[in-house]
């Protein structure tokens, strides 16, 4: 059997984003609707199945797994999964995306369990606005979580900020300053049209990476970074600092030709492209062939052959992707 994943456009798949829960203790306005229905637990992959999926991918040449969700750190016994994945031979990077709400109490155990780098979402430094954007989140708790992660000594910490016009676009300079003061990186993300939300019109709230970059250059000098990102971010280094500023611009910057990643949803659907609905049901394969890693690997190999060439997000059209980011594994 093949031991690497190469699609029909000659892209090698080495990176998997694994969503471990669709649940979350926040309700960010761009990610979820106020009232969300979550999947029944029996429909989720259990922790053993999640580890099994990780193992199959690593045996097929995947070297990086990002754990995401929903909020990964609200899943019960999640450290057990990290410890299992952390032991896989061949896995070079085990990394996490979190909203930071649980980091104050979990940062040290995460480091011990084998998580190497952490992305933490932070869209505002103003408590009332933070609460409005997350609907329920408490800024001070997340800030304490960020400090706990810094003290725990992760190899890399990065802030993720989704910027919406007339919501938080006036904070981009302050957010970069926050990152500089802590010696960490920051990435600005353009909102993507995933799932139907009623809170705002996504087209009206769109604030492009180019606009953010223009705003930042009034206060900082951004130097082209040579950092290899193996992904959709374009990076700059802020002059005279160690901080890198990244931009994820799915609307204006097409990164599909170098795409090296796939996603696995909470219920075990293998998504071949963030911007397309095509998926393959890995949960069905696992439950039909328990303990048969070959069957799972074969299903993955066959699926990769159908990875689409590119996405085509359109903010002005009705949402083409009905799944929310929390199930997709952002
Ligand atoms: N709960 C964790 C968190 O917030 O970091 C992990 C999951 S969350 C879905 C992962 C990332 O996706 C976050 O940085 C979040 O800001 C981003 N995100 C969620 N919905 C988005 C959307 N519609 N467009 C762009 N980014 C989005
Ligand atoms: Fe939760 Fe993350 Fe979605 Fe916010 S972006 S609602 S923290 S999953």
């Amino acid at each position: 059997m093949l031991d690497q994943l190469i699609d029909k456009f000659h892209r090698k798949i080495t990176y998997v984003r694994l969503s471990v829960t669709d649940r979350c203790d926040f309700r960010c306005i761009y990610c979820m609707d106020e009232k969300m229905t979550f999947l029944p637990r029996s429909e989720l992959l259990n922790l053993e199945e999640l580890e099994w999926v990780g193992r199959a991918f690593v045996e097929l040449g995947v070297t990086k797994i990002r754990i995401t969700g929903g909020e990964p750190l609200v899943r019960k016994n999640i450290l057990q999964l990290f410890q299992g994945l952390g032991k896989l031979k061949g896995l070079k990077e085990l990394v996490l995306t979190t909203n930071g709400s649980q980091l104050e109490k979990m940062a040290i155990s995460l480091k011990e369990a084998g998580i190497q780098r952490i992305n933490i979402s932070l869209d505002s430094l103003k408590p009332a606005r933070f609460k409005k954007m997350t609907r329920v989140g408490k800024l001070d708790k997340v800030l304490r979580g960020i400090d706990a992660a810094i003290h725990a000594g992760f190899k890399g910490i990065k802030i993720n900020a989704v910027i919406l016009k007339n919501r938080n676009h006036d904070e981009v300079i302050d957010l970069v300053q926050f990152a500089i003061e802590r010696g960490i990186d920051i990435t600005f993300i353009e909102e993507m049209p995933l799932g139907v939300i009623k809170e705002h019109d996504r087209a009206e709230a769109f604030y492009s990476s180019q606009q953010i970059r223009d705003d930042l250059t009034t206060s900082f000098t951004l130097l082209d970074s040579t950092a290899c990102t193996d992904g959709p971010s374009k990076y700059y280094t802020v002059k005279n600092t160690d901080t890198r500023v990244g931009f994820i611009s799915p609307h204006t910057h097409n990164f599909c030709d170098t795409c090296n990643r796939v996603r696995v949803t909470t219920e075990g659907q293998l998504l071949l492209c963030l911007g397309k609905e095509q998926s393959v049901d890995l949960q069905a394969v696992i439950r039909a062939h328990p303990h048969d890693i070959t069957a799972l690997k074969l299903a993955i190999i066959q699926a990769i052959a159908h990875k689409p060439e590119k996405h085509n997000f359109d903010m002005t059209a009705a949402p083409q992707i009905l799944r929310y980011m929390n199930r997709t594994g952002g």
Side-chain angles (χ1 to χ4, degrees):
M1 195 193 294
L2 293 172
D3 60 0
Q4 51 181 356
L5 297 169
I6 298 178
D7 75 1
K8 59 177 188 280
F9 304 101
H10 313 292
R11 295 171 300 192
K12 192 168 170 191
I13 309 306
T14 54
Y15 178 13
V16 173
R17 297 170 80 103
L18 195 55
S19 175
V20 298
T21 177
D22 60 336
R23 283 156 210 264
C24 187
D25 49 348
F26 290 2
R27 295 284 182 279
C28 302
I29 53 174
Y30 46 76
C31 177
M32 294 193 183
D33 225 353
E34 191 155 19
K35 290 205 169 46
M36 292 287 290
T37 313
F38 295 107
L39 292 165
R41 280 179 211 283
S42 60
E43 285 183 26
L44 308 185
L45 292 185
N46 64 37
L47 293 178
E48 288 74 26
E49 289 169 332
L50 284 165
E51 189 177 328
W52 197 241
V53 168
R55 181 175 149 196
F57 273 106
V58 171
E59 289 187 12
L60 289 168
V62 162
T63 55
K64 173 173 175 182
I65 296 179
R66 176 171 298 281
I67 307 292
T68 178
E71 175 45 42
L73 301 185
V74 301
R75 178 137 189 193
K76 213 170 152 202
N77 299 326
I78 194 67
L79 288 174
Q80 192 185 309
L81 173 69
F82 301 159
Q83 283 153 357
L85 293 174
K87 290 193 190 112
L88 291 175
K89 243 175 97 193
L91 184 65
K92 296 193 187 123
E93 290 179 90
L94 180 59
V95 297
L96 170 74
T97 301
T98 172
N99 65 21
S101 68
Q102 310 300 312
L103 276 179
E104 190 179 9
K105 59 173 196 259
M106 290 182 77
I108 291 173
S109 344
L110 288 169
K111 180 99 194 329
E112 286 168 359
I115 297 287
Q116 294 153 335
R117 290 188 286 115
I118 306 194
N119 288 356
I120 307 166
S121 298
L122 179 69
D123 302 327
S124 174
L125 294 165
K126 299 178 195 251
R129 187 183 278 184
F130 183 86
K131 169 115 192 264
K132 218 166 173 184
M133 288 194 74
T134 57
R135 290 200 182 95
V136 283
K138 290 205 170 63
L139 177 66
D140 56 344
K141 198 170 175 201
V142 171
L143 296 182
R144 288 199 303 272
I146 294 173
D147 287 339
I150 293 170
H151 289 130
F154 287 94
K155 269 203 273 174
I157 298 176
K158 183 160 72 74
I159 300 297
N160 276 345
V162 176
I163 300 301
L164 305 184
K165 190 167 164 187
N166 297 330
R167 296 297 174 105
N168 62 344
H169 80 261
D170 57 342
E171 282 194 71
V172 294
I173 291 171
D174 291 348
L175 284 163
V176 170
Q177 193 57 43
F178 174 90
I180 291 172
E181 281 161 14
R182 284 157 186 78
I184 59 182
D185 294 332
I186 179 161
T187 291
F188 292 105
I189 306 174
E190 287 177 352
E191 184 180 13
M192 290 175 243
L194 298 175
V196 179
I197 52 161
K198 295 186 218 65
E199 202 272 346
H200 60 272
D201 178 329
R202 293 200 200 257
E204 264 174 41
F206 182 63
Y207 201 74
S208 74
S209 294
Q210 182 59 51
Q211 286 169 296
I212 300 172
R213 210 158 34 230
D214 291 347
D215 296 345
L216 292 180
T217 49
T218 62
S219 299
F220 307 105
T221 303
L222 300 181
L223 306 171
D224 250 326
S225 169
T226 48
C228 172
T229 65
D230 77 353
S233 302
K234 167 86 185 113
Y235 277 103
Y236 298 83
T237 302
V238 183
K239 193 175 174 187
N240 298 329
T241 76
D242 295 330
T243 293
R244 288 186 306 159
V245 179
F247 297 91
I248 299 186
S249 329
H251 306 279
T252 47
H253 171 58
N254 191 315
F255 45 79
C256 301
D257 55 341
T258 55
C259 181
N260 63 348
R261 66 199 57 196
V262 290
R263 293 173 163 79
V264 178
T265 68
T266 316
E267 66 269 54
Q269 292 288 331
L270 170 56
L271 289 180
L272 299 160
C273 170
L274 180 61
K276 298 269 182 187
E277 292 285 10
Q278 276 116 315
S279 66
V280 171
D281 187 354
L282 298 183
Q283 183 188 97
V285 178
I286 295 173
R287 293 189 184 172
H289 307 274
H291 310 298
D292 181 355
I293 197 100
T294 308
L296 181 58
K297 282 161 71 178
L298 268 176
I300 294 171
I301 291 169
Q302 283 162 6
I304 296 296
H306 299 288
K307 185 169 163 65
E309 186 178 8
K310 56 185 173 190
H311 69 70
N312 38 6
F313 284 132
D314 181 355
M315 293 294 259
T316 54
Q320 299 131 311
I321 305 294
L322 298 177
R323 58 185 144 72
Y324 291 91
M325 191 64 131
N326 66 312
R327 278 181 60 189
T328 302

